[in-house]
Amino acid sequence: MAVIAKTLRIRMGVKQAAFVLLLSLMLPSAYAHHSVPVNFDMKSDHSVTGVLTEIAWRNPHSHLVLEVKTDDGANEKWLVEWNAVNTIRRLSGKLGFSLDDFVIGETITVQGWIGRHDKSIYLRSVTFEDGRRVEWRTRLSPAEQSTK
């Protein structure tokens, strides 16, 4: 009986170790795709204007970095999070912009949901340096769906 108990403890140890290993391999991808409502206050409305310093067109979330001047003249980096690049590419033409409209060194204004982490915002609209404003949405009207 003691031999059976010892064998069961070893097998449970192997199963637990395998589970922990599998879980640790999944964590990077789980961290990469996260819930927008968990990280951003979807009831908020915030605006940030700054110079575009970095662009990362990625899946599952694209990122922009803005250098924003504070009231006291200091510079802050703000992380702007957005949809997957596949979604942005698919809808950009229908919403009147292209990925090429985002130019490093130009000033843009992003309006959206403020992040639950310091200096982050989820893009809901963007105003380009030339004054064009694009409201981001993934649900299009029937007329918008039939264009381009």
Side-chain angles (χ1 to χ4, degrees):
M1 195 68 162
V3 171
I4 293 173
K6 184 176 180 180
T7 304
L8 284 175
R9 277 197 302 266
I10 291 171
R11 285 187 183 160
M12 286 302 285
V14 170
K15 286 180 183 177
Q16 289 171 342
F19 176 74
V20 169
L21 177 63
L22 180 64
L23 187 61
S24 68
L25 292 173
M26 292 171 45
L27 282 177
S29 62
Y31 177 75
H33 187 256
H34 51 270
S35 171
V36 172
V38 168
N39 290 296
F40 298 91
D41 179 1
M42 295 176 70
K43 292 183 177 127
S44 71
D45 186 31
H46 191 76
S47 181
V48 176
T49 299
V51 176
L52 186 58
T53 61
E54 294 177 40
I55 302 171
W57 299 122
R58 295 189 178 138
N59 293 318
H61 298 278
S62 293
H63 295 94
L64 309 173
V65 176
L66 298 181
E67 188 171 288
V68 177
K69 279 238 188 272
T70 63
D71 292 337
D72 64 1
N75 288 330
E76 294 181 334
K77 287 192 183 243
W78 275 72
L79 177 66
V80 178
E81 191 165 319
W82 202 2
N83 284 83
V85 67
N86 295 348
T87 304
I88 297 168
R89 278 192 184 119
R90 181 171 45 86
L91 297 175
S92 61
K94 296 172 189 268
L95 295 175
F97 74 99
S98 88
L99 274 60
D100 294 334
D101 291 334
F102 292 87
V103 178
I104 299 289
E106 288 196 0
T107 299
I108 63 172
T109 298
V110 172
Q111 186 172 6
W113 301 319
I114 194 72
R116 299 187 194 280
H117 303 286
D118 200 29
K119 297 178 190 74
S120 64
I121 188 169
Y122 193 88
L123 187 146
R124 301 297 299 145
S125 72
V126 60
T127 304
F128 294 101
E129 204 169 66
D130 63 8
R132 285 178 305 127
R133 183 176 185 273
V134 175
E135 183 180 336
W136 177 252
R137 59 196 186 285
T138 55
R139 291 193 176 100
L140 302 177
S141 70
E144 289 170 320
Q145 290 175 12
S146 64
T147 62
K148 296 184 187 175

